[in-house]
Amino acid sequence: MFEAISRQGTHSMKWDEAKKKFGREDLLPLWVADMDLASPACVQEAMLRRASHPMYGYTIYPDAYYASIQNWMRDRFSWEIEREWIIPCYGVVPSLNFIITVYSQKGDGILIQTPIYPPFVSSVKHQKRRVLDNRLVYENGRYQIDFEDFERKAKEAKLFLLCSPHNPTGRVWSEEELEKLIEICIVNDVLIISDEIHADIVYEKTHHSIGSFEKIMHHCVVLNAPSKTFNIAGLNTSYAIIPDTRLRQAYRVEQDRSGITNGNPFGIEALMSAYKEGAPWLEELKEHLRSNINYVNQFLTEHQLPIKAVPTEATFLMWLDCRGMGLTHEKVVDFFLHKAKLGLNDGKSFGEAGEGFMRLNVGTSKEVLQEAMQRLRDAYEAG
């Protein structure tokens, strides 16, 4: 069912931008966090129905848009949200920038946890705030939070940008971990901004939205989208969930100032159809991705490659620990690019904590992954 579809010539960032990014044409691109897999049939059909109407003008967000998000949050995460809490947005990254602008001042400290999705750092720097890095601790093959360091840095922080589930490490934060973060943030009057865009693609663990914890609901913003889940990132359709009236109004004013207020007619239809009919497809997708993850782990073990994957609890992104190769980070990057001819994300782009790591996108077919692993093995054995 899940076969990789050629995206070359479709203006795909992952494929058509690969030569510009990596400097060669013969590599297999496994970097940008979208999938080479078709979106569910319900989304395709909804898009075609909308496209059949020959007018593509300014579009409002209908009642069904809000109801779709409410139903999805209730059915998937047992979180009852009010319609008025939802603010349609253009994308999670623009929202991060709006949030930093409206809830903090230049020079304020913003807490993040590296290694982290690069826009977390760039958004803070673009808005002239200070990065407070609560670096995650990698012990016994698993990432943990350094709570003592978090508590120290929370004393000088205005906001905490939480990535939940975490990209690139694949961690799903436990209820206990989130409770502890919440307590520290409440004591220090730190707002929690939670990027939960990968929440739907969680395996054995359970995702707990930060907004579902009653004690923090008036001191948090949740950002989400169907983009990663249903492979529709190019439609630029996301949303913020802000239970607190004061925070919500302040955010809305800042977003309105940007001029980004109109909906994408195709993005709206895609979200509604995906959230209404896409759940069975999502469960099949997760099984496919889980199989891909298991395949990569098994291959690395069976062929005794000095690369270990951090346990992937969520997302279709694997965080590869390449430090066993005995190479400098620059040579690790060179190995993947010029010897294995694989286009992965450089671990250091996620911060200094990513040194010695690479990020692999497994949102593709088993056949593509088999070719990638064969290239990896051949390059390693060639020396």
Side-chain angles (χ1 to χ4, degrees):
M1 175 181 178
F2 292 99
E3 298 180 357
I5 296 173
S6 174
R7 302 173 65 189
Q8 292 175 320
T10 65
H11 313 300
S12 159
M13 178 182 291
K14 182 177 179 183
W15 287 85
D16 294 334
E17 190 78 356
K19 180 182 177 182
K20 181 179 178 181
K21 176 176 175 63
F22 297 107
R24 59 188 308 157
E25 294 181 327
D26 56 349
L27 58 74
L28 191 59
L30 298 166
W31 57 300
V32 175
D34 61 10
M35 297 183 282
D36 296 329
L37 310 173
S39 295
C42 62
V43 170
Q44 297 178 50
E45 291 162 3
M47 301 275 278
L48 288 171
R49 282 196 302 271
R50 181 61 187 87
S52 68
H53 190 288
M55 300 293 182
Y56 313 113
Y58 297 121
T59 304
I60 64 167
Y61 292 91
D63 292 341
Y65 167 90
Y66 296 93
S68 297
I69 296 171
Q70 289 178 279
N71 293 338
W72 189 258
M73 290 296 147
R74 182 190 64 240
D75 296 343
R76 303 297 295 188
F77 308 112
S78 301
W79 184 24
E80 295 283 352
I81 66 173
E82 302 294 331
R83 172 193 164 125
E84 65 185 26
W85 299 356
I86 303 167
I87 299 180
C89 307
Y90 180 81
V92 167
V93 174
S95 292
L96 280 176
N97 281 273
F98 297 149
I99 282 165
I100 292 168
T101 299
V102 75
Y103 300 141
S104 67
Q105 302 294 323
K106 289 182 179 179
D108 282 345
I110 312 292
L111 261 169
I112 62 168
Q113 296 174 314
T114 64
I116 192 66
Y117 177 52
F120 273 52
V121 175
S122 62
S123 295
V124 174
K125 291 182 176 180
H126 286 158
Q127 305 305 326
K128 305 292 190 278
R129 274 61 167 172
R130 292 182 296 119
V131 173
L132 301 175
D133 184 8
N134 172 231
R135 187 165 173 168
L136 298 176
V137 179
Y138 187 52
E139 291 180 342
N140 302 317
R142 194 165 189 262
Y143 280 91
Q144 306 286 352
I145 298 170
D146 182 343
F147 283 101
E148 289 186 8
D149 180 71
F150 185 88
E151 189 164 14
R152 280 195 304 272
K153 288 172 178 167
K155 297 180 187 306
E156 55 178 309
K158 191 73 172 178
L159 307 176
F160 167 39
L161 306 185
L162 171 67
C163 194
S164 179
H166 193 266
N167 172 17
T169 69
R171 269 302 315 272
V172 175
W173 306 118
S174 69
E175 191 171 8
E176 292 72 25
E177 287 171 316
L178 293 172
E179 287 272 12
K180 200 165 182 178
L181 291 172
I182 287 169
E183 290 293 344
I184 295 170
C185 287
I186 288 175
V187 168
N188 292 281
D189 194 24
V190 176
L191 287 177
I192 301 180
I193 314 303
S194 187
D195 171 2
E196 302 187 6
I197 200 169
H198 291 282
D200 295 320
I201 304 178
V202 170
Y203 304 108
E204 281 75 22
K205 306 290 183 177
T206 299
H207 169 75
H208 301 279
S209 176
I210 203 74
S212 66
F213 292 81
E214 187 172 356
K215 64 180 68 175
I216 198 68
M217 66 180 290
H218 290 289
H219 302 277
C220 74
V221 174
V222 174
L223 302 175
N224 209 332
S227 52
K228 305 298 182 186
T229 310
F230 299 102
N231 208 29
I232 53 175
L235 298 177
N236 296 110
T237 301
S238 69
Y239 51 90
I241 302 175
I242 311 179
D244 185 77
T245 302
R246 178 182 57 85
L247 293 177
R248 186 169 61 250
Q249 182 59 25
Y251 175 87
R252 192 185 298 277
V253 168
E254 183 63 27
Q255 181 169 275
D256 288 350
R257 284 182 60 230
S258 74
I260 303 176
T261 56
N262 295 114
N264 177 328
F266 294 99
I268 291 169
E269 294 295 335
L271 180 146
M272 293 189 299
S273 62
Y275 280 175
K276 182 179 180 181
E277 305 174 67
W281 177 91
L282 174 56
E283 294 310 309
E284 293 181 6
L285 171 71
K286 286 167 62 176
E287 285 303 314
H288 172 77
L289 296 173
R290 194 195 322 255
S291 175
N292 281 355
I293 291 165
N294 290 340
Y295 168 74
V296 171
N297 281 317
Q298 185 177 8
F299 188 97
L300 294 175
T301 300
E302 286 184 356
H303 295 281
Q304 299 182 329
L305 297 179
I307 299 170
K308 295 182 179 179
V310 175
T312 310
E313 299 174 352
T315 82
F316 49 84
L317 306 165
M318 297 186 73
W319 190 233
L320 304 181
D321 183 354
C322 306
R323 295 174 299 173
M325 297 177 72
L327 303 173
T328 65
H329 181 78
E330 290 68 27
K331 289 186 177 180
V332 168
V333 173
D334 184 79
F335 168 83
F336 275 90
L337 179 56
H338 297 296
K339 294 184 178 179
K341 298 178 183 177
L342 296 173
L344 276 62
N345 288 96
D346 180 342
K348 284 186 74 172
S349 68
F350 300 87
E352 291 298 320
E355 183 171 356
F357 291 79
M358 299 290 284
R359 194 185 75 172
L360 168 69
N361 182 342
V362 298
T364 187
S365 68
K366 182 63 65 63
E367 290 74 22
V368 169
L369 274 185
Q370 287 171 339
E371 180 182 348
M373 290 299 101
Q374 191 62 52
R375 289 189 185 196
L376 188 62
R377 185 182 74 168
D378 290 348
Y380 180 73
E381 291 180 348

